[in-house]
Amino acid sequence: MIMNGIGSSPGIAIGKAFVVERGRIQIAQYNVFGEEAVAAECARFQDAILRAESELEAIKKTIRSEFRDLVHILEVQQMILRDRSIYDESLDYIRKERLNAQLALQKSLTKARELFGALNDEYVRSRIADVDAAGERVMRILAGQEYSSLDTIRERVVLVAHELSPSDAIQLQIERTLGIVTEVGGRTSHTSIIARSLNIPAVIAVENATRLISSGDILVVDGTTGRVTINPSEKEIAFYAERQIQIESYVKEISRQAHLPARTRDGYSVAVEANVELLEEIVAVRDNGGEAIGLYRTEFFFMNRADMPDEETIFRDYRDLSELMAPSCVTIRTLDLGAEKLSSWYPRLEEVNPALGLRSIRLCMHYPELFKTQLRAILRASAAARNIRLMFPLVSGIGELRQAKQMLYEVRDELASEGIPFDEAMPVGVMIEMPSAVAVADMLAREADFFSIGTNDLIQYSIGIDRSNEHVAYLFEPLHPAVLRFIKQTVDAGHKAGIPVGLCGEMAGEPLHVPILLGFQVDSLSMNPQSLPRVKNLIRQSFMKDCRKLARKVLRLSTAQEVNRFLEKTIKKILPEEFRVFGPNSSYYGEAPKVLRSSRK
Ligand code: PEP
Ligand code: MG
């Protein structure tokens, strides 16, 4: 059987499936008979409440005092667990209607939701999300469904999951994860980004994967075409094994040249840099010819831990990175937490539109202590090798940039008065990720030392496509004429003000997109380490004069599909081998996937 999704990390994986049971909670439905059974069911329910309370208590302990409002959310959930409408009602349902604990809880939750929703009090109504969160916790405990932990996997498998969060993804045991298949996600969701940087073939947006695939099934995952074959025939296995060899030998071949400079055939140099989430990736950056770190996504260091790291711990991380890469430059981005990037010490906020919510620089402004702790660590780390650049993510306009810089100046003054050294000339840049930032790029350029275009978010916000939503993934078009114009406008505004403009979204690591970016005169491209050899190879085979011509031509095309077709022809000409091995980039465009018919769970 063949299933189709979106190829989000290239390569072929062949192996046994491991289905991650998570997401849907099974609600057992039965009645309890006899006094003894009823008493036992009540005790089971009360135990589950106690456990949920202590889980919430444990999370609360890991949250530092500056997050008082988040502690409050957890306290509200604790109160809900003991609220009459949940606690007493559920016990009543068990005793009087002889329902099992899960059914009783489900019934009382439904009633509580209706009750809260009908009240004329905005605050109480806004607590429905907390009722759901608290209820889900108890439901999961009653179902005996702990979050299945990925570190229990003991053999080499293809992971099949409804969803993997970015923090799951960084906990993957690389040597045991042959491939990944998920039902949700987009090409630039952070789970896809991590799969690419770990070089694990992945297919996302595979409708019903966890229902149709069973643990132990043999799977072939083609991360380039987005095809997943369940229990393939011998002929199919032989075909994919051959493709696997072709891809690996091509990548090996070009990787041998990865240390050569990224210079076009007519002598134009482009800085080719790497995006990293964790320090451990530096080896891959070096092996693949990365010249610098164009984006350090610092939030990942904050994500997989029980509590918020202190200044000293963060400082050591940045100092190590700076020393490992010196004298090459290291661009540290301030915290971009929120939306899909969550941590256990930072509870999930119930936001209807998290991508438009309290995330990134806004979250940092909301918690100045958190932000200042990070700024202190970055500044202190900048003292030694003086190769650190700092950049602010998701800046929407000049006011926000000034506010962030003001905090930086305050921290600099504090350090100076304490006699702690830092690099006074540390460049401070801005990520251009929002249409509003593009519109005022000329103003931002006057107050920034460099720009870095984050196309993952720029595409999300300019086309209005949630980057991690599989239902609209087919509309996530990097080559949309509006996106291309935004990139060009940003480069021109930056250059007019005399500052360098780089690009660190996933477009930078996609060979098909690189000729346009070169033609737009982007100064640096920063990408996942695995893409470095392919992009450097492409640059070395290109003529800048052709790229400029191509860029002028594509700006006159009116749809992403037209641009895509034109670029495919170009790549076929410049790099026939690359095209033969990886094929056309069809997973970007085409029909709305069938997945549109299913609902998100
Ligand atoms: C981007 O948005 O393009 C970017 C590089 O940042 P992130 O993917 O971490 O949001
Ligand atoms: Mg971004």
Side-chain angles (χ1 to χ4, degrees):
M1 180 184 179
I2 291 174
M3 302 178 81
N4 288 304
I6 298 173
S8 77
S9 176
I12 306 285
I14 305 174
K16 231 198 287 177
F18 178 95
V19 181
V20 181
E21 295 293 347
R22 197 189 270 182
R24 268 168 276 120
I25 304 176
Q26 266 110 41
I27 300 184
Q29 308 198 0
Y30 54 89
N31 289 99
V32 275
F33 297 108
E35 286 315 307
E36 233 171 82
V38 167
E41 200 60 10
C42 287
R44 197 166 80 85
F45 175 76
Q46 286 162 321
D47 275 356
I49 294 280
L50 278 174
R51 256 193 66 191
E53 279 174 334
S54 58
E55 280 181 18
L56 288 167
E57 198 56 39
I59 302 173
K60 255 166 61 186
K61 287 215 179 79
T62 68
I63 297 174
R64 300 241 301 249
S65 56
E66 54 263 39
F67 296 101
R68 285 314 313 168
D69 48 347
L70 298 181
V71 173
H72 174 68
I73 294 174
L74 299 174
E75 280 166 351
V76 168
Q77 291 183 15
Q78 283 179 317
M79 270 152 57
I80 288 170
L81 292 176
R82 291 283 171 181
D83 192 271
R84 255 196 55 74
S85 64
I86 304 291
Y87 191 82
D88 297 350
E89 289 270 322
S90 297
L91 286 173
D92 269 0
Y93 285 130
I94 300 174
R95 287 187 191 117
K96 295 188 184 140
E97 296 190 20
R98 313 265 153 180
L99 301 181
N100 74 321
Q102 277 174 284
L103 261 183
L105 175 62
Q106 192 183 38
K107 221 169 157 183
S108 62
L109 284 171
T110 309
K111 230 170 121 184
R113 253 183 243 120
E114 283 166 11
L115 202 77
F116 277 43
L119 288 177
N120 214 359
D121 180 330
E122 181 63 29
Y123 176 79
V124 176
R125 268 190 280 124
S126 68
R127 301 271 64 92
I128 292 179
D130 293 314
V131 172
D132 288 340
E136 187 188 317
R137 186 174 293 278
V138 184
M139 225 27 131
R140 199 176 285 286
I141 295 169
L142 285 169
Q145 273 176 257
E146 307 296 320
Y147 272 113
S148 58
S149 174
L150 302 182
D151 56 13
T152 56
I153 297 172
R154 291 283 163 264
E155 52 184 343
R156 284 158 66 82
V157 293
V158 175
L159 280 185
V160 180
H162 173 63
E163 181 172 33
L164 287 179
S165 69
S167 61
D168 284 331
I170 49 174
Q171 282 179 51
L172 287 179
Q173 305 176 71
I174 307 172
E175 68 290 354
R176 293 195 177 129
T177 311
L178 298 166
I180 296 174
V181 177
T182 64
E183 293 174 337
V184 305
R187 278 186 61 96
T188 61
S189 60
H190 287 91
T191 305
S192 297
I193 290 175
I194 293 178
R196 272 196 289 281
S197 63
L198 298 177
N199 208 13
I200 299 174
V203 178
I204 53 166
V206 183
E207 190 180 15
N208 288 328
T210 59
R211 275 186 239 271
L212 298 173
I213 300 171
S214 309
S215 287
D217 279 348
I218 300 297
L219 295 185
V220 173
V221 177
D222 185 337
T224 314
T225 61
R227 187 172 280 209
V228 178
T229 313
I230 309 173
N231 295 324
S233 65
E234 269 183 36
K235 216 166 127 195
E236 283 169 319
I237 293 185
F239 170 80
Y240 280 107
E242 179 56 31
R243 244 182 84 60
Q244 196 174 31
I245 292 169
Q246 274 178 9
I247 294 176
E248 281 172 12
S249 66
Y250 173 72
V251 170
K252 210 186 254 169
E253 174 71 31
I254 56 169
S255 297
R256 279 201 212 106
Q257 329 261 327
H259 59 282
L260 296 173
R263 192 175 303 129
T264 60
R265 294 175 77 171
D266 46 353
Y268 186 94
S269 290
V270 188
V272 175
E273 307 174 344
N275 296 350
V276 291
E277 285 77 36
L278 298 169
L279 231 60
E280 290 78 352
E281 290 173 275
I282 297 301
V283 179
V285 174
R286 290 275 188 221
D287 286 353
N288 289 309
E291 296 160 5
I293 302 298
L295 167 64
Y296 178 29
R297 290 186 164 99
T298 55
E299 53 281 359
F300 284 85
F301 186 71
F302 282 64
M303 279 162 56
N304 264 334
R305 45 194 315 137
D307 59 1
M308 194 187 113
D310 60 17
E311 180 187 319
E312 198 56 30
T313 311
I314 317 170
F315 157 70
R316 281 200 298 271
D317 184 62
Y318 302 160
R319 185 201 52 200
D320 292 351
L321 177 64
S322 150
E323 285 175 357
L324 280 167
M325 287 305 295
S328 302
C329 182
V330 166
T331 308
I332 300 185
R333 171 175 79 180
T334 57
L335 282 175
D336 192 35
L337 275 173
E340 56 171 356
K341 289 184 280 189
L342 303 162
S343 58
S344 49
W345 54 267
Y346 170 70
R348 184 182 285 264
L349 296 178
E350 292 300 335
E351 296 177 301
V352 178
N353 287 313
L356 304 180
L358 193 63
R359 65 167 287 211
S360 195
I361 192 85
R362 302 163 184 182
L363 184 129
C364 289
M365 297 295 181
H366 195 77
Y367 298 114
E369 286 313 310
L370 165 70
F371 195 33
K372 283 187 165 178
T373 304
Q374 186 185 34
L375 293 175
R376 269 181 77 94
I378 297 173
L379 279 165
R380 284 176 56 200
S382 71
R386 302 201 168 232
N387 60 343
I388 291 182
R389 305 196 305 173
L390 175 148
M391 73 180 173
F392 297 122
L394 219 73
V395 170
S396 60
I398 201 82
E400 215 162 25
L401 173 62
R402 286 184 184 153
Q403 215 184 330
K405 282 178 83 174
Q406 179 57 35
M407 289 212 198
L408 181 67
Y409 293 140
E410 284 167 22
V411 173
R412 281 168 51 131
D413 290 347
E414 269 170 38
L415 290 175
S417 66
E418 291 165 37
I420 298 174
F422 59 89
D423 178 7
E424 278 160 28
M426 178 181 73
V428 177
V430 171
M431 283 191 77
I432 304 292
E433 307 185 87
M434 302 231 228
S436 61
V438 178
V440 296
D442 55 331
M443 298 182 207
L444 291 169
R446 286 198 288 271
E447 301 189 24
D449 297 317
F450 65 94
F451 279 164
S452 184
I453 307 175
T455 43
N456 306 336
D457 278 314
L458 184 58
I459 299 166
Q460 156 163 271
Y461 294 122
S462 48
I463 319 184
I465 300 297
D466 179 345
R467 60 192 270 189
S468 30
N469 182 340
E470 70 283 5
H471 301 316
V472 285
Y474 72 106
L475 289 171
F476 190 91
E477 297 178 327
L479 301 176
H480 190 298
V483 173
L484 298 181
R485 286 181 188 192
F486 282 164
I487 297 173
K488 173 84 167 64
Q489 281 169 29
T490 306
V491 177
D492 291 349
H495 286 174
K496 202 160 168 207
I499 62 167
V501 182
L503 191 143
C504 64
E506 291 302 294
M507 275 185 89
E510 177 53 69
L512 188 78
H513 301 154
V514 169
I516 305 188
L517 304 177
L518 295 181
F520 285 169
Q521 315 275 323
V522 168
D523 300 291
S524 58
L525 294 171
S526 191
M527 64 205 73
N528 72 74
Q530 307 302 331
S531 293
L532 288 161
R534 289 174 66 196
V535 170
K536 283 185 113 174
N537 183 41
L538 176 84
I539 294 173
R540 279 202 309 281
Q541 305 303 325
S542 306
F543 283 95
M544 186 52 119
K545 64 174 177 19
D546 292 343
C547 293
R548 290 202 186 116
K549 218 157 80 190
L550 173 143
R552 280 195 296 276
K553 159 101 180 148
V554 295
L555 282 176
R556 290 196 296 272
L557 299 176
S558 42
T559 67
Q561 287 80 354
E562 281 173 33
V563 180
N564 191 51
R565 274 197 297 275
F566 182 69
L567 287 175
E568 278 186 0
K569 269 195 242 149
T570 309
I571 293 284
K572 220 168 169 175
K573 240 191 301 173
I574 311 178
L575 285 179
E577 188 61 5
E578 162 86 26
F579 190 83
R580 193 180 65 76
V581 173
F582 286 99
N585 219 296
S586 50
S587 57
Y588 274 110
Y589 307 100
E591 304 285 306
K594 276 205 247 84
V595 78
L596 277 174
R597 294 202 306 262
S598 77
S599 64
R600 269 163 97 76
K601 286 153 218 149

